[in-house]
């Protein structure tokens, strides 16, 4: 099992776990991006899930099982993609700093250029 700092759905720093089995990392989305007592899903982000994926890859785990259940956000995974290097732009060519359910409609262009 691995532990690392990451962000929860409201960008608070937390420590979360990644389960490992041989060369496989198992990441439970709900651990980091799960529902919380505060229910503000339009401002929630899956960024922390992407941070866990990135950390697992950095540690040499290239087989990743992503368990999607109990998510507290509705950003379509855009936050996770940002943690993995994606850059999103609005119609004015401004970078969207942290994708979430509330600004998902504003994404007009996406660039994914970082190789893990």
């Amino acid at each position: 099992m691995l532990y690392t700092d990451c962000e929860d759905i409201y960008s608070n720093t937390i420590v979360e776990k990644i389960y490992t089995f041989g060369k496989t990392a198992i990441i439970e989305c709900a651990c980091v991006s799960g529902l919380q007592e505060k229910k503000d899903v339009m401002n929630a982000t899956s960024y922390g899930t992407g941070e866990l994926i990135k950390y697992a890859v950095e540690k040499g785990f290239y087989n990743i099982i992503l368990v999607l259940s109990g998510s507290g956000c509705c950003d379509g995974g855009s936050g996770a993609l940002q943690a993995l290097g994606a850059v999103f732009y609005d119609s004015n060519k401004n970078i969207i700093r942290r994708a979430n359910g509330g600004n998902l409609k504003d994404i007009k262009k996406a660039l994914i250029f970082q190789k893990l």
Side-chain angles (χ1 to χ4, degrees), residues 21-80:
F21 179 76
K23 295 184 180 204
T24 300
I26 304 166
I27 297 170
E28 170 56 62
C29 175
C31 290
V32 66
S33 299
L35 288 170
Q36 294 184 9
E37 187 172 322
K38 176 182 174 183
K39 303 283 190 291
D40 188 9
V41 296
M42 296 307 282
N43 288 310
T45 179
S46 61
Y47 191 88
T49 298
E51 288 180 308
L52 292 182
I53 294 167
K54 184 176 180 180
Y55 184 75
V57 170
E58 288 171 352
K59 292 297 179 184
F61 294 91
Y62 296 101
N63 300 316
I64 297 175
I65 297 172
L66 184 59
V67 181
L68 300 172
S69 63
S71 173
C73 53
C74 61
D75 67 357
S78 58

Side-chain angles (χ1 to χ4, degrees), residues 76-90:
S78 58
L81 287 172
Q82 278 187 320
L84 295 169
V87 180
F88 298 112
Y89 296 90
D90 65 17

